[in-house]
Amino acid sequence: MQKDFPFLYETHMHTSEASACSIAGGKEMARAYKEAGYAGIIITDHNWGGNTRVDRKLSWREWVKEFFKGYEAAKEEGDKIGLDVFFGYEAGYNGTEFLIYGPDQAWMLAHPEIRDASVEEQYRLIQEDGGMVIHAHPYREEWYIPEILLYPEYIDGVEGINAAHSNSKSAFHNDPEFNRKAVAYAGKYRKPVTAGSDMHSTELLGGGVAFKTRLESIADYIKRIRSGQGYALTDGEKWYDCTGQPMD
């Protein structure tokens, strides 16, 4: 399947500059993904509602500046080695998490209200400027997730294939049932399905979304996912169509 979709992108990963749970910096992560054959990566560090490394006591302007350091390090390295690097982030709501694509640093600085936004308000704010909200690993069960909460009316898609759940090399969260439920959830509400690895180190699993042609920007990624077609998904071992169904 990879020969038909040669441009693989990681859509869910963390850097040690901004995520307290990551053990590898942006530069190091960029190199690892390039060596693994990826066309690009989307940095999705944990925001103020999740396991961020950035001091929440900072002013909004200083917090945003610090939060972007992992992305900036990865982008600088990516530009040198020929790896596309785009910005996103993972928003946390007491264990329920969303992958946010579209905002950049200028947008965040201009929208400090996003810090206190509810799930519903988050969706409105991101939607207003053409961004995209993906429900990350909606059925994952872990100690830090007190309950499974679903928000089908406030998401644009579902992370149906999370490599950490199904790749045999994964040391955390490994339960393929989490993915099966997520794919069914997306199907029930007719939402696009995405895939990512949720990486926190350079021990890559190989998951992500693959395309026939290279992405031009994060806006291009959003456009292609919204279309719900023309891409494939992988957990690094198995391949799936854009609805999350196994490919022969």
Side-chain angles (χ1 to χ4, degrees), residues 96-159:
T96 301
E97 295 179 304
F98 304 91
L99 297 167
I100 308 298
Y101 306 108
D104 57 13
Q105 189 172 59
W107 186 94
M108 293 187 76
L109 287 172
H111 292 82
E113 68 272 24
I114 191 68
R115 179 171 46 184
D116 299 313
S118 65
V119 171
E120 297 85 348
E121 291 166 341
Q122 169 186 257
Y123 185 64
R124 176 182 58 79
L125 286 166
I126 299 301
Q127 282 279 301
E128 283 178 350
D129 287 311
M132 183 168 67
V133 179
I134 300 293
H135 196 154
H137 45 67
Y139 286 93
R140 177 181 291 175
E141 297 177 16
E142 283 291 353
W143 62 268
Y144 62 86
I145 304 175
E147 60 180 323
I148 302 298
L149 297 174
L150 304 177
Y151 298 89
E153 65 271 47
Y154 300 117
I155 60 171
D156 299 301
V158 177
E159 184 186 56

Side-chain angles (χ1 to χ4, degrees), residues 58-72:
L58 291 173
S59 69
W60 179 242
R61 179 168 293 277
E62 287 301 311
W63 191 93
V64 170
K65 180 180 178 181
E66 291 296 314
F67 185 63
F68 270 76
K69 286 188 173 179
Y71 160 73
E72 290 169 345

Side-chain angles (χ1 to χ4, degrees), residues 2 9 13 17 27 35 57 62 73 77 79 87 107 112 120 122 124 131 135 137 160-161 167 189 221 243 248:
Q2 191 168 4
Y9 286 80
M13 59 171 291
E17 286 91 346
K27 181 177 181 178
E35 291 172 3
K57 296 179 182 178
E62 287 301 311
E77 186 65 16
D79 288 347
F87 176 77
W107 186 94
E120 297 85 348
Q122 169 186 257
R124 176 182 58 79
H135 196 154
H137 45 67
I161 307 299
N167 187 292
Y189 292 98
Y221 175 71
T243 68
D248 295 332

Side-chain angles (χ1 to χ4, degrees), residues 23-42:
I23 61 173
K27 181 177 181 178
E28 188 180 2
M29 292 291 267
R31 286 179 175 175
Y33 277 98
K34 177 65 176 180
E35 291 172 3
Y38 279 77
I41 58 178
I42 306 176

Side-chain angles (χ1 to χ4, degrees), residues 126-228:
I126 299 301
Q127 282 279 301
E128 283 178 350
D129 287 311
M132 183 168 67
V133 179
I134 300 293
H135 196 154
H137 45 67
Y139 286 93
R140 177 181 291 175
E141 297 177 16
E142 283 291 353
W143 62 268
Y144 62 86
I145 304 175
E147 60 180 323
I148 302 298
L149 297 174
L150 304 177
Y151 298 89
E153 65 271 47
Y154 300 117
I155 60 171
D156 299 301
V158 177
E159 184 186 56
I161 307 299
N162 186 297
H165 296 165
S166 56
N167 187 292
S168 62
K169 295 186 294 184
S170 175
F172 303 97
H173 321 305
N174 204 320
D175 187 339
E177 186 63 20
F178 299 157
N179 285 350
R180 286 192 284 270
K181 289 180 177 179
V183 169
Y185 171 47
K188 178 180 179 180
Y189 292 98
R190 298 183 179 180
K191 300 290 185 180
V193 180
T194 68
S197 302
D198 201 358
M199 292 310 303
H200 294 70
S201 75
T202 57
E203 298 296 318
L204 306 183
L205 298 177
V209 181
F211 301 93
K212 294 182 179 180
T213 59
R214 199 173 198 107
L215 293 178
E216 297 179 2
S217 62
I218 193 66
D220 188 25
Y221 175 71
I222 293 170
K223 179 181 178 180
R224 297 196 202 191
I225 296 300
R226 284 189 184 280
S227 76

